[in-house]
Structures are given as C-alpha cells and as structure tokens.
Amino acid sequence: MPPSGLAFPIIDPVAFSIGPFAIRWYALAYVVGLLGGWFYAKRLAARADLWAPSPQPKPADIDDLIVWVALGVVLGGRTGYVLFYNLKAYLEHPLEIFAVWRGGMSFHGGFLGAALAIVLFARSRGLNALTILDLASTVAPIGLFFGRIANFINGELWGRPAPDFPYAVVFPHGGPVPRHPSQLYEAFAEGLVLFIVMTVAVRAFGFRRPGLVGGIFLLGYALARIACEFFREPDEQLGFLFGSSVRFLEGGITMGMLLSVPMALAGIAAIWIAARGWTRSSTAATAA
C-alpha cells in the first residue's frame, strides 16, 4: 500500500443477525433515514405558522405518507438503477432485478418514485401535492446522509484515484491505489450541508409558496451531486459518458452528472414560478 493511503476501516456489512436473517448496514440506513424523516416531518406538519394558506396535513397523514414514500423510494430506486446504470445486464438476467439485497439503487430513480408516490398520496387526501413535496424535500437529506455513510461502510461507490491526497483510502475492492472517500464527501454535501440549507429555507419561507422549498432542494442536490461526481469513480459498466480522463476537473461526464442536469433546471423553474406566486392560486383552490 502506498504510504499516502489510509487503510480502509474494515466493517462487517452485516450489522447483526437474527437466526438466518442478516440485517445489513445498508438496510438500516434506509430505515433510520425514513424514521428520521418521519419524525422531523411530523414536527414540521404540526406547526400551523408554516402552512397557511396551504392545507395543513394531519399527524395521521404523515404516518401514512411514510409508507407511500418508502415504497416509492425502493421501487423507483431499483427501477432507476436497472434503466440508467445496468440495463444490458438485467435484460440478460431479468430475475436479478428482484435481488435487491445484492445492491444497486439509483437516487434519481428513488426520487422520481417517491415524488410520484407523494403526488398520488396528496391527491387521495385532498392535500396540495406541491406542499407535501416541499415537506418531503426538507427531510430527504437525512436519508441521503445515512445512505452515503452506508455506502462507505460497504466499501462501494468509491472515489477516483488520489495517490497524493493524504486522506485517500485504499478500498478493498478498488485496487491498490488510494482513492477519494467520495461517499463521505456526498454524505457531507448532499446530507449535512443540504439539510442545513433546507432548514434555513423552511424557517424563511415555510410552505406558504408551494414548490419553492422543493425547488431549492432540487437545485441544491443537483449542484452537490455534480460537484461530488468529480471525485467519484464512474460506474464500471458505464465509465465516462463523454471524455476519459480521471484527473480532477478534467474527467468526462458521468451518468450522475447527466441525470442531475434536468434536476437543476427543474429546481430553477420551480423556484422562479413559486417566487412569483403562481402556485398560490392552486393552493387556495385546494383549500377551498
């Protein structure tokens, strides 16, 4: 091992076992992220000052919403990974699509799945879909943080080679070259920093301008993900979509970057529309 590389802290990907059932850190990350989001969402939903004139969800609505979101995240995340990252392999072995315990989830797919579930849920309860999406966007960084930490524990989705970086890590399956711990970069940027941004946004605007907080999340996540992709090794089966260098700021375009561009554009559009009050009329109609 080169002297500049740090040894990877070997952590068993299985947190604990109950008889023949193994509970993995990755699964626990989803559970903790969902439960943390549920707890925080309930607190925000109980504050009437954040909602008027938007319809305020009841505590029971948040309890039911978490189930819808969980299904949307898992189904959408798996579908997104199959379509965006490894379609050829899954077409050759279609039964592998259902082997979710072997890994393979896409945030962008999970986001779309959760968004669809939230829209359907809001319509079924007579709530404004945009404000519920705003609420979900506020708590989403909690799950992102724990998910990226789980990626690091699993030793997956490692960074690009960084032999001269003093805090580079030699990952067990990443070869002998020290690499950026890009999972931790993403946990910091997409999780911690974005959570602070969303908390400030809610304190400043509440959910009174439907779509505004959600737009801030879309733009914030897209920028954080694109920045972190410069440190992250592209998926082996895809490589760089354009370009081939792995040097910092000289690397090609990755799938993560490409999928984040429409998110950024949608975020800018949502912020622009909501800031002008164009979504308030639909909120008033829903309330009526």
Side-chain angles (χ1 to χ4, degrees):
M1 182 182 70
S4 60
L6 299 177
F8 179 77
I10 302 299
I11 303 175
D12 191 340
V14 177
F16 58 90
S17 300
I18 302 176
F21 299 100
I23 308 299
R24 297 179 174 270
W25 289 109
Y26 196 71
L28 283 180
Y30 271 82
V31 172
V32 173
L34 288 169
L35 291 179
W38 166 75
F39 176 78
Y40 187 36
K42 291 198 74 167
R43 295 190 61 180
L44 294 174
R47 292 185 54 181
D49 60 303
L50 297 177
W51 294 88
S54 301
Q56 184 178 358
K58 302 179 179 64
D61 292 330
I62 305 302
D63 295 339
D64 295 337
L65 176 62
I66 191 66
V67 179
W68 289 61
V69 170
L71 290 174
V73 167
V74 173
L75 295 178
R78 186 60 171 175
T79 302
Y81 181 80
V82 171
L83 294 178
F84 300 147
Y85 289 93
N86 218 353
L87 180 59
K88 181 179 179 180
Y90 285 110
L91 287 177
E92 295 175 354
H93 306 282
L95 292 180
E96 290 293 316
I97 295 175
F98 305 101
V100 294
W101 56 88
R102 296 179 183 173
M105 298 288 284
S106 162
F107 167 79
H108 296 90
F111 167 78
L112 292 175
L116 177 59
I118 290 169
V119 170
L120 295 175
F121 172 82
R123 293 189 62 177
S124 70
R125 299 297 175 92
L127 299 170
N128 185 287
L130 287 177
T131 56
I132 302 302
L133 285 168
D134 288 341
L135 176 63
S137 297
T138 305
V139 305
I142 299 174
L144 288 170
F145 175 81
F146 286 106
R148 294 309 181 192
I149 295 297
N151 290 147
F152 181 78
I153 292 175
N154 285 348
E156 60 190 5
L157 305 183
W158 52 75
R160 303 186 190 187
D164 299 325
F165 182 55
Y167 300 105
V169 176
V170 179
F171 290 93
H173 305 292
V177 180
R179 296 176 177 274
H180 284 288
S182 57
Q183 313 96 322
L184 301 183
Y185 301 169
E186 292 190 74
F188 176 76
E190 302 166 9
L192 182 59
V193 173
L194 191 54
F195 178 78
I196 294 172
V197 170
M198 299 308 299
T199 300
V200 172
V202 169
R203 286 179 176 271
F205 309 113
F207 305 112
R208 295 179 292 272
R209 293 178 179 267
L212 179 60
V213 173
I216 293 173
F217 171 79
L218 287 175
L219 180 59
Y221 175 84
L223 294 177
R225 178 64 182 269
I226 290 173
C228 290
E229 284 286 317
F230 283 109
F231 299 93
R232 177 174 164 175
E233 184 77 4
D235 294 79
E236 182 180 0
Q237 70 275 13
L238 291 178
F240 291 104
L241 303 184
F242 307 100
S244 58
S245 174
V246 296
R247 293 182 181 178
F248 176 57
L249 294 181
E250 295 181 12
I253 302 300
T254 66
M255 179 61 77
M257 293 178 180
L258 184 64
L259 295 175
S260 296
V261 170
M263 285 189 71
L265 296 176
I268 293 172
I271 294 170
W272 187 73
I273 292 172
R276 280 156 177 74
W278 293 353
T279 57
R280 284 185 172 182
S281 58
S282 61
T283 299
T286 302

